[in-house]
Amino acid sequence: MSRIVIQEVATRDGFQIEPAFVPTAEKIRLIDALSQAGFSRIEVSSFVSPKAVPALADAAEVFSGIARRPGTTYVALVPNPKGAERALAARADEINLVASVSETHNRANMGMTPEASIQGFAAIMASVRGQVSVNATAATAFGCPFEGVQPEDEVLAQVERYLALGVDGVTLADTTGMANPRQVARLVARVLPLVGAERLTLHFHNTRGCGLANVLAAYDAGARRFDAALGGLGGCPFAPGATGNICTEDLASMAEEMGLSTGLDLDALIALSRDLPRLVGHDGPGQVAKAGRPRDLHPAPPLKAA
Amino acid sequence: MSRIVIQEVATRDGFQIEPAFVPTAEKIRLIDALSQAGFSRIEVSSFVSPKAVPALADAAEVFSGIARRPGTTYVALVPNPKGAERALAARADEINLVASVSETHNRANMGMTPEASIQGFAAIMASVRGQVSVNATAATAFGCPFEGVQPEDEVLAQVERYLALGVDGVTLADTTGMANPRQVARLVARVLPLVGAERLTLHFHNTRGCGLANVLAAYDAGARRFDAALGGLGGCPFAPGATGNICTEDLASMAEEMGLSTGLDLDALIALSRDLPRLVGHDGPGQVAKAGRPRDLHPAPPLKAA
């Protein structure tokens, strides 16, 4: 049976955009439940400025409170050397460095050029080597909300720079949900030979509704590792009401129906997803939590007269 | 440039499940606007019992009120000989006959076995031949909410019976959104040689979130014609809150981003979709109407200090 790896990012990419602060104890409880549901990778939180992202100001407390399940890699997003230091102190198993391919997006998000971000990553690599696994994300790889589509050669160049720094994994991120399946197939076909399926993650948002189609295109092109958020949490600052990350349980359901193994307890995920409105104060875009799995059959209604 | 045909079904498969009756004049105005937006096929309404589906009790008035655009085929769903008679009187260009592959589903929906439904279709074919185009739909082709997955051989057998009756087109319908991309690819590969791409329609629901992934799988297997509903209208009687049909403008956006031609004015569709809450009294699941097209760029924010 073929296998895909789903990295859960709800407590990072989902919670970071929620207006209501999810209490630290609830975050810890959710992450522990996600560990129990079988995830081999969980992006726990971000070590960014608490002023910029108050929703994740408790990253260190969350890392110190969770139960570490053997076999699960607990990841921290890190934008700069200061963040890397805090992530190491919190005993993250992996840090995820992020720079945008788009200069405008990186300047807006990080206050510096992509070049300056990547030079910062070199400094981080020098200081953390051997202490922690490192993943590097090329954000806006499938398009920038300010600049539009990014040249594939520039995405490739950024991936090559990441690899030259000695990172352990690379993520191509469709940061604001602009990707389409043909573009995904082309870019994965070019990046996969450089990175390898074991080390490449695809990060899709469902902003335009085709997130799982993009997963299918990436899978068919050889990709095997995908970010997703429980309940489809997350969002897009430019599109109020638009969906965010692709939904973990919708992806897991599709994968299992296709005969792919995820290693996840899908019924447990659905139960956790159904509890999310209590934490974030609103309903979410995930579908399987509402409709049930395709194999959840219904009793036949009474027969009509002919 | 490759081309796909999207048949708009919002005023039939969408409105039929809406608790609020959409006024006849609004239905006519919407269908006229859809014609102007470029659809070559619109499923206008159903000639079913007004007691069973009060939302579509005005099917005849709608057909008589719309402006017929040359080049657009206006379709009526028809369950039985009585419905076919009414559709002919209303000057439908095409009737769409529906029987489920699943016996339990057909008994629940139609009050008879699939065999009895198909025998009724033979009578309809005999009486309408030469007067109207006929499409026949195999409902629950990818799964029945009561029985589960249907054997592919039975789906094939139903398609062959439709073809033996002399129908002009065949639809494989994922009536309650149970399909997965691998299943879709397999079934399309088997049905396409019998029916041909020009005459085969795929009808997907997004009940579990993978509707556009199923479109992608069907397209890659050679299918070119798809049902979709503006705004993702529609629903599933077994899953309150679950989405219904795949969303027209989300599909059109994905197709255009992939370089496929749809013949549709996507900006006009988005404007029509944004007006739907006024008609149905609630927000819908369509994404592109909320987020805009991927190519709709945003002004860059002011630069942060480094």
Side-chain angles (χ1 to χ4, degrees):
Chain A
M1 186 187 261
S2 296
R3 188 179 163 78
I4 68 167
V5 173
I6 302 177
Q7 171 168 260
E8 177 56 55
V9 302
T11 58
R12 200 281 297 170
D13 207 5
F15 286 170
Q16 75 176 13
I17 203 172
E18 291 297 332
F21 183 83
V22 177
T24 306
E26 293 281 12
K27 286 173 179 154
I28 291 168
R29 194 157 66 169
L30 175 56
I31 292 163
D32 287 349
L34 292 166
S35 297
Q36 289 304 316
F39 287 99
S40 58
R41 302 178 58 82
I42 299 174
E43 194 165 271
V44 170
S45 192
S46 280
F47 288 96
V48 290
S49 152
K51 273 187 203 149
V53 188
L56 303 186
D58 58 355
E61 292 89 327
V62 173
F63 263 99
S64 81
I66 58 174
R68 315 266 178 142
R69 177 178 164 270
T72 301
T73 300
Y74 297 91
V75 182
L77 187 141
V78 155
N80 52 34
K82 173 101 189 284
E85 218 172 273
R86 292 168 62 206
L88 248 70
R91 296 193 302 116
D93 298 313
E94 181 169 303
I95 59 174
N96 181 21
L97 308 172
V98 180
S100 304
V101 177
S102 153
E103 177 163 339
T104 310
H105 192 267
N106 208 67
R107 280 180 180 277
N109 253 18
M110 307 291 183
M112 64 183 85
T113 63
E115 176 61 32
S117 279
I118 295 171
Q119 282 176 13
F121 298 165
I124 292 173
M125 291 301 292
S127 72
V128 306
R129 202 175 302 272
Q131 302 176 70
V132 69
S133 176
V134 180
N135 186 80
T137 293
T140 67
F142 299 91
C144 162
F146 314 122
E147 295 183 3
V149 174
Q150 300 296 296
E152 288 176 13
D153 285 347
E154 286 189 24
V155 180
L156 265 284
Q158 186 155 330
V159 168
E160 283 169 342
R161 293 202 57 189
Y162 285 164
L163 293 172
L165 290 175
V167 299
D168 303 289
V170 169
T171 297
L172 297 179
D174 183 24
T175 309
T176 59
M178 298 171 67
N180 73 75
R182 289 292 176 265
Q183 175 192 30
V184 167
R186 275 198 315 271
L187 204 51
V188 169
R190 291 188 66 183
V191 169
L192 208 54
L194 303 177
V195 178
E198 292 301 306
R199 302 197 300 163
L200 177 65
T201 301
L202 276 295
H203 177 101
F204 292 122
H205 281 233
N206 196 37
T207 319
R208 272 88 183 180
C210 55
L212 294 191
N214 288 330
V215 169
L216 181 65
Y219 181 86
D220 284 342
R224 292 295 178 268
R225 214 158 94 174
F226 300 94
D227 283 352
L230 193 73
L233 280 188
C236 175
F238 310 109
T243 51
N245 293 85
I246 57 171
C247 172
T248 300
E249 64 273 19
D250 291 3
L251 170 56
S253 171
M254 181 175 91
E256 293 198 1
E257 296 296 319
M258 289 169 65
L260 309 177
S261 159
T262 64
L264 299 172
D265 178 343
L266 183 46
D267 291 326
L269 292 184
I270 291 171
L272 290 173
S273 178
R274 288 175 176 162
D275 187 44
L276 283 177
R278 186 180 63 82
L279 299 184
V280 299
H282 59 83
D283 193 21
Q287 288 303 310
V288 170
K290 298 190 184 84
R293 304 169 73 169
R295 60 191 66 173
D296 295 340
L297 301 185
H298 298 262
L303 288 186
K304 278 190 195 173
Chain B
M1 184 187 261
S2 296
R3 186 178 165 80
I4 68 167
V5 173
I6 302 178
Q7 171 167 262
E8 176 57 54
V9 302
T11 58
R12 200 281 298 171
D13 208 5
F15 286 170
Q16 76 176 12
I17 202 171
E18 292 296 332
F21 182 82
V22 178
T24 306
E26 293 281 12
K27 285 172 179 155
I28 291 169
R29 194 157 67 168
L30 175 57
I31 292 163
D32 287 350
L34 292 166
S35 296
Q36 289 304 315
F39 286 98
S40 58
R41 301 178 58 82
I42 299 175
E43 193 165 272
V44 169
S45 192
S46 279
F47 288 95
V48 291
S49 152
K51 274 187 201 149
V53 187
L56 303 187
D58 57 357
E61 291 90 328
V62 173
F63 264 98
S64 80
I66 56 174
R68 313 266 179 142
R69 176 178 164 271
T72 302
T73 300
Y74 296 91
V75 182
L77 188 141
V78 155
N80 52 33
K82 173 103 188 284
E85 219 172 274
R86 293 169 61 205
L88 247 71
R91 295 194 303 117
D93 298 313
E94 181 169 303
I95 59 174
N96 181 20
L97 308 173
V98 181
S100 305
V101 178
S102 152
E103 177 163 340
T104 311
H105 192 267
N106 209 67
R107 281 181 179 277
N109 253 19
M110 308 290 182
M112 61 184 87
T113 63
E115 178 59 33
S117 280
I118 295 171
Q119 282 175 12
F121 298 166
I124 293 173
M125 291 301 294
S127 71
V128 307
R129 203 175 302 275
Q131 302 176 70
V132 69
S133 176
V134 180
N135 187 81
T137 293
T140 68
F142 299 93
C144 163
F146 314 120
E147 294 184 2
V149 175
Q150 300 295 298
E152 288 176 13
D153 285 348
E154 286 189 25
V155 180
L156 265 283
Q158 186 155 331
V159 168
E160 283 169 343
R161 293 202 58 189
Y162 286 163
L163 293 172
L165 291 175
V167 299
D168 304 288
V170 170
T171 297
L172 298 178
D174 184 24
T175 309
T176 59
M178 298 172 67
N180 74 74
R182 287 293 176 267
Q183 177 193 27
V184 167
R186 275 197 316 271
L187 203 49
V188 169
R190 291 188 66 183
V191 170
L192 208 54
L194 302 177
V195 179
E198 292 301 307
R199 302 198 299 162
L200 178 65
T201 302
L202 277 294
H203 177 102
F204 292 123
H205 281 232
N206 196 37
T207 319
R208 273 87 183 179
C210 55
L212 294 190
N214 288 331
V215 169
L216 181 65
Y219 180 86
D220 285 343
R224 291 294 178 269
R225 213 158 94 174
F226 300 94
D227 283 351
L230 192 73
L233 279 188
C236 176
F238 311 109
T243 52
N245 293 88
I246 57 171
C247 172
T248 300
E249 65 273 19
D250 291 4
L251 169 56
S253 170
M254 182 176 91
E256 294 198 0
E257 296 296 319
M258 290 169 66
L260 308 178
S261 160
T262 63
L264 299 172
D265 178 345
L266 184 46
D267 291 326
L269 291 185
I270 291 171
L272 289 173
S273 178
R274 287 176 177 161
D275 187 43
L276 282 177
R278 186 180 64 80
L279 299 184
V280 298
H282 60 81
D283 194 20
Q287 289 303 309
V288 169
K290 298 191 184 80
R293 304 170 72 170
R295 60 191 67 173
D296 295 340
L297 302 184
H298 298 262
L303 289 185
K304 278 188 194 172

